[in-house]
Amino acid sequence: MEIALTGSIAPELAAPPPYLIAGGFRLVELAALSLCEAGKVIIYVEEKIDLPLILEGCRFEIREGTPHDVPKVEVGCVPHLLKTRNLACGGTRINLGGAEQAATPLESLADIIESNVEIMQAAFARLRALGVELIRGDVRGDVRGDAYVRGRVYEYTYVEGPVVVGPSSAVLPFTYVRPGAALYYDSKARDEVKNAVLDAYTRKQHGGYLGDSYVSSFVNFGAGTNVSNLKNTMGLIRPSYASKGYRKLGPVVGEFVKTAIGTLIYGGRFIGPLSHLYGVVDRDVPPLSIYKDGEVVAMDAEKAAEYVRRDLSQFGRVDLYASYLRRLFKKSLF
């Protein structure tokens, strides 16, 4: 089976859209999981990047390029394939048998967070059908409900599924992990995490609340960093990158972001890749910038490139340096 993933999801990050995470797995993995019962799946993407993958139980290969004769699926429609092989979604029409089902594309990361628990449950159902053992990691804490565990759950923790704890990831002692949380790969979390994505090599190792949020790769949260996901008025949070409002929504945090101790981030904010935060963040923060005391200052480009190199070196991923430089510095958005 061959399939091509096309289109975008707002807001744009440094990771190509097919590598975004929904329901605890990258969209390329969800596409494979939806179709791999029939054998090996070939997935075409516009741009390939060597980010970690954690899916087990499926044979799939990712190739760069979009052949004209391969069925195309919008990235925002991929999670719907977990429920049907005959899908009408946006510009996507794919029929592999069964009655047709119509669905609306997930247009933003806020849409993904809103549907994250449901997507995770559907992914787990597919994994079970394939005979994949969900818990194969080191579990010493209390895990209730469904959990895909390949990392470590320490003592004195409470994990309430569905959750994903990927390879080399860790739920640190004295932590409460709530449904929808995904510690994707080599990510660490302490204190409280609820319905939030932590992509690869991200650190939240100190006290602070993280809920209904999307946190990209190579992010570090300083001690006492907290996010808001609910308005005092109980009204809808309306992020700048989406066309609708959400009752609960934290921030979307781009790659290589760093927060200082005591940072507070308002709900629905977009924190652009490679930005540094200090204090109370009550607005969107552009990529490659420093936010402090309500003011935004552009980051020096040479220093920013060095920060990327240092981060990648710390995790032994200098091989990604050229790719991130191209995505961060050579596109008009950034």
Side-chain angles (χ1 to χ4, degrees), residues 207-278:
Y209 174 73
L210 177 67
D212 299 286
S213 303
Y214 192 100
V215 185
S216 303
S217 301
F218 302 103
V219 171
N220 188 78
F221 279 3
T225 296
N226 284 274
V227 312
S228 170
N229 64 343
L230 183 67
K231 294 181 72 170
N232 286 351
T233 62
M234 305 297 288
L236 296 179
I237 296 172
R238 300 184 181 278
S240 61
Y241 56 83
S243 59
K244 68 176 189 178
Y246 305 82
R247 182 172 177 270
K248 287 193 174 183
L249 180 64
V252 169
V253 181
E255 292 83 354
F256 302 103
V257 167
K258 303 292 182 285
T259 73
I261 58 170
T263 299
L264 307 175
I265 309 174
Y266 277 36
R269 299 305 185 258
F270 171 54
I271 311 301
L274 196 50
S275 57
H276 291 180
L277 310 181
Y278 300 82

